[in-house]
Amino acid sequence: MRTCSSSSIIECAGERRFGVAPKPVAPYARHRRESVKPKSGQAAAGVEHTMSIRKLGLGLFAVLALAGCQGRPSSTKSVDDAAITRADKDGVNWLSYGRTHDEQRFSPLDKVNDTNVGRLGLAWYADLDTNRGQEATPIEVDGKLYVTTAWSMVKAFDAKTGALLWSYDPQVPREVLIKTCCDAVNRGVAVWHDKVYVATLDGRLVALDAATGKVAWWKTTVDPSSKYVITGAPRIIKGKVIIGSAGAEYIARGFISAYDADTGKQIWRFYTVPGDPSKGFENKAMEAAAKTWKGEWWKLGGGATVWDAISYDSDLDLIFFGTGNAGPWNKSVRSPGGGDNLYASSIVAIRPDTGEYVWHFQETPGDRWDFDATQQIVVATLPIDGRPTKVLLHAPKNGFFYVLDAKTGRFLSGKPFTPIVTWATGLDPVTGRPNVNPAANYDETGKPFISVPGAVGAHSWQPMSFSPKTGLVYIPANEAGFPYAAAPKGWQPKPEGFNTAMDGGLTAMPADPKARAAALAASTGSLIAWDPVKQKAAWRVMHVGPSNGGTLATAGNLVFQGTAAGDFNAYAADSGKQLWTIPVQTGVIAAPMTYSIDGEQYVAVLAGWGGVWDIATGVLADKSGSTRNISRLLVYKIGGVAKLPAPPPLKAMPLDPPPVTAPPAVAAAGGELFGRYCAVCHGDAAVAGGLNPDLRHSGMINTADNFKKVVLGGVFKGQGMVSFANDISPADAESIRAYIIKRANEDKALEMAAAK
Ligand code: CA
């Protein structure tokens, strides 16, 4: 059940503290999975496909798996394209989600540097009024800091003192959470002239007066009867607000749109996959794409939603954006008979004035692994074959680092950036097309396949950064697999379902403790400094688990990153040596940013554990470290002396479920249903990560009547848990309850055995 309660759920068993700072590790010197070592220079293919999911014991590793040079602008009125372009050399402000249109997240500020970062301390902090995952990068203009929080709320602060200037709550109905895979998150605002723009979870684009926070105009960007949501930050390009949406797991057709920044009038919309051919195509790009689909794909939407990356190059006058996975994941259901399914899992270049298609590069043709290509796209100039070349740098979910010619989309090079890639053996050196491991096509073979990377991706939305000084890209990477298994024949989409056409029972973590230990050991995270010219790691720092924070690179030879384990760190950009660390009491997934006021440099980051890794990965969710959310904006400077209040204690609650009474077959059927409807919010195998209710502990499982009141009656709709009566029958609800009771009793037995 996708209850995503906004009430605090801090009753998590056992706080983990990781006081030992991760040591820099030579590139790929040590990884812990001896049995699945890659061949040199190549991804390891076919290593795991011969083993069953159960035998390897790998469960649901992860579900789904953004002034001029002369000084400060006098007000937000001076934020325009020229200002953002010049911002390249001006570190005083941070004017756009990725700081500049090229989204390098590199600041030329160097007052804080590798010689004095050890004296960095808290300048001020602000507690936020939500306790869900915080993913936003703040924007700073003229001494004002604008930030979004979970539930698409916006706050403006005095960037020097932390005084709250105004706040805005779009009052997103909490039941919208039913349409989301990955928490009520938002990644930030855009600022242009005298307005601040936010895209809300329920699909509205809202322009606010930058001085007061009052609504100037708003538009609905999605059909309210659809399942689209928005989590991404808008970008302003040539006076247009550019925004996409999410929803590829919920029967959606992807698109990206432009709205006039002054009036909110829609200027253009570019769809990413073709619609029903009988209704005609919107443009030639859709007509061409339709040749790569089979069956009646439009009935299931097609996916390829534009939920994060949008970059721009003013010389080429091209917008670059990434598209998500094709939907549903299961290709045999989506496009029976084959095809590449354009423009899913692709980078697409379009014209900002018209939305006209220019070129595309598809990273994962015929995707069936939720391999979104939506991760941040960096525009940079690199020496390629001895010539300065404008390139796009991309580290998508699929595990390969791509360098593309920005003008043409031509593939220049690509190598795996994490040690293990099992779904493909490498990329064609000329075309960049992956050589897919045949066993990875689980929907065709009929056999489950464990892919590394999995649906959480080798890199997801957590922004990477690029330092022109070191020439390195700093990637927050994940190493975690996922067991893919096709849904039984005859699968049909459901209105409230997580419509991936996967087998929810087969993809769940088994109860066996050894299997869990193996899955935990195999899931980790790292900070990788990647040389995009040599296509190899320069250095690498291991983290405790996956889903760590985005990165910031600065001219002070520094890289900043927060971790899921609850620390905020600075590393030497050239060597990876850790130079500073500070505990922040909660997991950090957002990316830091930096700005300067009165000659003093500040570094800001949003803290607040959550997102998909917390809510959906079950027993793996607390592997990374933090199992609680304390949502705060943290701002540091040299010599800062502010202190955080002591964190509230975590309570350990023993399991106390009712006894198992249902026959095993009923609980097994309930397990499949749980995987399909519930696990995406309440955790794989009914183990919740800390943000959403852990149903093993819920009193609602004690009686069939109470359980049905929640699942079918929707009594907790105000907290996001809507009624599933359209999808789930009373008998099915009882099967799900039986499964949760079985799982709770299995884990209670483990607790009692461990206590002996
Ligand atoms: Ca996806």
Side-chain angles (χ1 to χ4, degrees), residues 64-65 248-249 307 324-325 329 370 372 397:
L64 301 173
E249 280 77 29
W307 60 266
N325 59 281
W329 299 0
D370 185 22
D372 303 287
K397 272 186 174 182

PDB file of all heavy atoms in Angstrom, residues 64-65 248-249 307 324-325 329 370 372 397, ligand 1:
ATOM      1  N   LEU A  64      13.475   1.323  -8.190  1.00  0.00           N
ATOM      2  CA  LEU A  64      13.400   2.118  -9.415  1.00  0.00           C
ATOM      3  C   LEU A  64      14.731   2.816  -9.758  1.00  0.00           C
ATOM      4  O   LEU A  64      15.418   3.132  -8.841  1.00  0.00           O
ATOM      5  CB  LEU A  64      12.379   3.242  -9.189  1.00  0.00           C
ATOM      6  CG  LEU A  64      11.041   2.720  -8.844  1.00  0.00           C
ATOM      7  CD1 LEU A  64      10.146   3.803  -8.482  1.00  0.00           C
ATOM      8  CD2 LEU A  64      10.509   1.888  -9.960  1.00  0.00           C
ATOM      9  N   ALA A  65      13.436   1.319  -9.317  1.00  0.00           N
ATOM     10  CA  ALA A  65      14.358   1.862  -9.380  1.00  0.00           C
ATOM     11  C   ALA A  65      13.708   3.151  -9.892  1.00  0.00           C
ATOM     12  O   ALA A  65      12.665   2.957 -10.073  1.00  0.00           O
ATOM     13  CB  ALA A  65      15.151   1.185  -9.464  1.00  0.00           C
ATOM     14  N   ALA A 248       6.536   7.229 -15.941  1.00  0.00           N
ATOM     15  CA  ALA A 248       6.646   6.140 -16.917  1.00  0.00           C
ATOM     16  C   ALA A 248       6.212   4.786 -16.359  1.00  0.00           C
ATOM     17  O   ALA A 248       5.957   3.869 -17.119  1.00  0.00           O
ATOM     18  CB  ALA A 248       8.076   6.043 -17.447  1.00  0.00           C
ATOM     19  N   GLU A 249       6.110   4.668 -15.041  1.00  0.00           N
ATOM     20  CA  GLU A 249       5.637   3.411 -14.456  1.00  0.00           C
ATOM     21  C   GLU A 249       4.127   3.426 -14.273  1.00  0.00           C
ATOM     22  O   GLU A 249       3.554   2.498 -13.707  1.00  0.00           O
ATOM     23  CB  GLU A 249       6.312   3.164 -13.110  1.00  0.00           C
ATOM     24  CG  GLU A 249       7.724   2.608 -13.232  1.00  0.00           C
ATOM     25  CD  GLU A 249       8.745   3.667 -13.620  1.00  0.00           C
ATOM     26  OE1 GLU A 249       8.536   4.848 -13.284  1.00  0.00           O
ATOM     27  OE2 GLU A 249       9.735   3.325 -14.280  1.00  0.00           O
ATOM     28  N   TRP A 307      11.984  13.614 -16.696  1.00  0.00           N
ATOM     29  CA  TRP A 307      11.772  13.936 -15.271  1.00  0.00           C
ATOM     30  C   TRP A 307      12.949  14.599 -14.597  1.00  0.00           C
ATOM     31  O   TRP A 307      12.870  14.945 -13.423  1.00  0.00           O
ATOM     32  CB  TRP A 307      11.288  12.726 -14.491  1.00  0.00           C
ATOM     33  CG  TRP A 307      12.153  11.495 -14.439  1.00  0.00           C
ATOM     34  CD1 TRP A 307      12.080  10.409 -15.263  1.00  0.00           C
ATOM     35  CD2 TRP A 307      13.185  11.196 -13.488  1.00  0.00           C
ATOM     36  NE1 TRP A 307      13.006   9.470 -14.894  1.00  0.00           N
ATOM     37  CE2 TRP A 307      13.685   9.925 -13.811  1.00  0.00           C
ATOM     38  CE3 TRP A 307      13.725  11.882 -12.397  1.00  0.00           C
ATOM     39  CZ2 TRP A 307      14.724   9.319 -13.092  1.00  0.00           C
ATOM     40  CZ3 TRP A 307      14.753  11.290 -11.685  1.00  0.00           C
ATOM     41  CH2 TRP A 307      15.241  10.011 -12.030  1.00  0.00           C
ATOM     42  N   GLY A 324      13.281   9.067 -19.810  1.00  0.00           N
ATOM     43  CA  GLY A 324      13.226   7.920 -18.914  1.00  0.00           C
ATOM     44  C   GLY A 324      13.013   6.614 -19.657  1.00  0.00           C
ATOM     45  O   GLY A 324      13.020   6.538 -20.890  1.00  0.00           O
ATOM     46  N   ASN A 325      12.813   5.590 -18.865  1.00  0.00           N
ATOM     47  CA  ASN A 325      12.591   4.245 -19.400  1.00  0.00           C
ATOM     48  C   ASN A 325      11.332   4.189 -20.256  1.00  0.00           C
ATOM     49  O   ASN A 325      10.399   4.963 -20.056  1.00  0.00           O
ATOM     50  CB  ASN A 325      12.455   3.247 -18.255  1.00  0.00           C
ATOM     51  CG  ASN A 325      11.304   3.583 -17.315  1.00  0.00           C
ATOM     52  OD1 ASN A 325      11.435   4.461 -16.471  1.00  0.00           O
ATOM     53  ND2 ASN A 325      10.176   2.904 -17.473  1.00  0.00           N
ATOM     54  N   TRP A 329       8.083  -1.608 -18.142  1.00  0.00           N
ATOM     55  CA  TRP A 329       9.450  -2.120 -18.274  1.00  0.00           C
ATOM     56  C   TRP A 329       9.510  -3.331 -19.188  1.00  0.00           C
ATOM     57  O   TRP A 329      10.429  -3.487 -19.989  1.00  0.00           O
ATOM     58  CB  TRP A 329      10.010  -2.536 -16.909  1.00  0.00           C
ATOM     59  CG  TRP A 329      10.117  -1.439 -15.882  1.00  0.00           C
ATOM     60  CD1 TRP A 329       9.762  -0.114 -16.043  1.00  0.00           C
ATOM     61  CD2 TRP A 329      10.612  -1.559 -14.557  1.00  0.00           C
ATOM     62  NE1 TRP A 329      10.010   0.572 -14.884  1.00  0.00           N
ATOM     63  CE2 TRP A 329      10.524  -0.286 -13.948  1.00  0.00           C
ATOM     64  CE3 TRP A 329      11.118  -2.619 -13.811  1.00  0.00           C
ATOM     65  CZ2 TRP A 329      10.936  -0.057 -12.635  1.00  0.00           C
ATOM     66  CZ3 TRP A 329      11.517  -2.399 -12.511  1.00  0.00           C
ATOM     67  CH2 TRP A 329      11.429  -1.127 -11.929  1.00  0.00           C
ATOM     68  N   ASP A 370      14.342  -0.456 -16.815  1.00  0.00           N
ATOM     69  CA  ASP A 370      14.128   0.858 -16.169  1.00  0.00           C
ATOM     70  C   ASP A 370      15.391   1.696 -16.249  1.00  0.00           C
ATOM     71  O   ASP A 370      15.746   2.399 -15.304  1.00  0.00           O
ATOM     72  CB  ASP A 370      13.681   0.674 -14.700  1.00  0.00           C
ATOM     73  CG  ASP A 370      13.325   1.999 -14.030  1.00  0.00           C
ATOM     74  OD1 ASP A 370      13.018   2.977 -14.752  1.00  0.00           O
ATOM     75  OD2 ASP A 370      13.372   2.066 -12.795  1.00  0.00           O
ATOM     76  N   ASP A 372      16.555   4.665 -17.126  1.00  0.00           N
ATOM     77  CA  ASP A 372      16.339   6.066 -17.462  1.00  0.00           C
ATOM     78  C   ASP A 372      17.641   6.703 -17.955  1.00  0.00           C
ATOM     79  O   ASP A 372      18.709   6.402 -17.432  1.00  0.00           O
ATOM     80  CB  ASP A 372      15.887   6.849 -16.220  1.00  0.00           C
ATOM     81  CG  ASP A 372      14.626   6.276 -15.598  1.00  0.00           C
ATOM     82  OD1 ASP A 372      13.561   6.459 -16.183  1.00  0.00           O
ATOM     83  OD2 ASP A 372      14.727   5.627 -14.544  1.00  0.00           O
ATOM     84  N   LYS A 397      21.703   5.595 -15.761  1.00  0.00           N
ATOM     85  CA  LYS A 397      21.467   4.423 -14.927  1.00  0.00           C
ATOM     86  C   LYS A 397      22.157   3.177 -15.449  1.00  0.00           C
ATOM     87  O   LYS A 397      22.533   2.308 -14.670  1.00  0.00           O
ATOM     88  CB  LYS A 397      19.961   4.148 -14.858  1.00  0.00           C
ATOM     89  CG  LYS A 397      19.206   4.865 -13.761  1.00  0.00           C
ATOM     90  CD  LYS A 397      17.777   4.340 -13.780  1.00  0.00           C
ATOM     91  CE  LYS A 397      16.942   4.868 -12.651  1.00  0.00           C
ATOM     92  NZ  LYS A 397      15.582   4.281 -12.689  1.00  0.00           N
TER      93      LYS A 397
HETATM   94 CA    CA B   1      12.194   5.067 -14.430  1.00  0.00          CA
END
